[in-house]
Structure formats: C-alpha cells, structure tokens
Amino acid sequence: MRILLSLTALGICLGACTGQWEAAQDAFVRQAWEAPRGFTRTDPTGRVLEEDLDDWRTAPLFRGILLIHPPYPNPTRGEDLRLPVEVLAFSGLSGGLEGWAADLQGRPVRLFRHGQFAGPGLYTIRFSLAVLAPNLNWASLRGLHRVRIFDEQGRMVTYGDVMLE
C-alpha cells in the first residue's frame, strides 16, 4: 500500500512539473512571435558589447542541451553572420536546426538549415539576411529582424533580433 501511495504521489508531482514546463515553453514561444525590439550588439569577433536580455535565450525544452550564442557581427551591414551553437548534450536533440525570419512582405523565409550535429561541441552556422530581399537593395531591408530557430520537428529553440544597418 505504501508503494502504491508513493507512486501515486510521484505521478501527481510529475504531472504538475510537466504542466509547469509546458506552460513555460508556451510562454517562451509566445514571446518569440512578438515584434523585434532591441538587439544584442556584438563585434566582428563575437564579443558581446551590449546585451539584450530577451535575445538568444534557450527555450525550456532545450535547456541543458543547447546554448545559442548571439550572432556576430550585430549590427551587420550585409556581411554574413556567424551564429555559435554549443551542443551540450546529444539527448533531446534530434536532427539539425533551421533559422527563419520574415521577408519584407511578412512571409517566412528560411535563413539556414544545419543538418545533424556530430556530437557535443561548438559549431558555427553562417547565414545572411540577403535572402529576405534577393532582388532589392540593402536599403529596403534596413532595420531590426527577428530570427527564430527551430529544431527539425518544428520546436522553438531560441530567437533573437539582428540589426541591418
């Protein structure tokens, strides 16, 4: 009887913890879909000069599995951005990552797709905002752009803002 009560209590606790975790993930996803505001300023070597605490946080689902460092250089003048991705643990990460942003008409455009990671370690993903307006000049793209990163199952991993000057 004591074992049954213990298992029941454990089940209730796990259910409550799962509910809290799901609520935290849902809140994170809602924040990711808000309009961009502010950005983490980085130099051409990746050093953070000014941090936006809302940018590049890891979603609750991926904490302890991945760290996404701010892309650099940010702001950019059109050069490729480098996005450091630190894989901490292989469990919980299946497949690769995809980065998305909205074009000038608000349509989603894939910025990059990085396939399967080889294992824990530091990886650098390169991407450009040029794909958001391939036939237009850079002046039309100037401003703040929200980049959202998903795993291959479409789960939100992180988000952050990039300034194009």
Side-chain angles (χ1 to χ4, degrees):
M1 181 69 168
R2 188 181 273 172
I3 293 174
L4 182 59
L5 288 174
S6 295
L7 289 175
T8 302
L10 179 62
I12 290 170
C13 180
L14 288 176
C17 292
T18 300
Q20 290 173 347
W21 173 84
E22 287 174 353
Q25 182 71 16
D26 290 346
F28 184 88
V29 170
R30 279 193 302 278
Q31 292 165 357
W33 289 104
E34 293 176 358
R37 58 180 184 278
F39 67 98
T40 297
R41 186 176 297 274
T42 57
D43 71 10
T45 66
R47 187 168 53 103
V48 173
L49 305 174
E50 185 179 324
E51 186 176 17
D52 176 357
L53 297 177
D54 187 50
D55 274 0
W56 311 109
R57 296 176 297 132
T58 304
L61 179 61
F62 293 94
R63 287 190 187 131
I65 298 169
L66 285 175
L67 283 177
I68 309 289
H69 300 278
Y72 62 92
N74 193 10
T76 178
R77 289 187 169 82
E79 64 269 42
D80 282 357
L81 290 142
R82 289 170 179 80
L83 180 71
V85 176
E86 196 170 346
V87 177
L88 305 172
F90 231 37
S91 64
L93 178 65
S94 59
L97 298 175
E98 292 187 350
W100 293 79
D103 69 8
L104 295 174
Q105 289 75 38
R107 296 176 300 221
V109 175
R110 187 167 63 191
L111 300 173
F112 66 83
R113 181 184 180 284
H114 185 280
Q116 185 82 25
F117 292 94
L122 184 63
Y123 300 83
T124 301
I125 298 172
R126 292 178 71 136
F127 69 96
S128 172
L129 296 178
V131 298
L132 299 178
N135 298 323
L136 302 174
N137 62 34
W138 282 105
S140 63
L141 280 178
R142 283 192 182 130
L144 209 50
H145 299 271
R146 170 101 359 138
V147 176
R148 296 172 185 94
I149 299 177
F150 302 87
D151 74 353
E152 287 188 345
Q153 279 97 36
R155 300 176 297 185
M156 179 74 64
V157 174
T158 190
Y159 65 91
D161 302 323
V162 175
M163 174 62 79
L164 180 62
E165 293 185 327

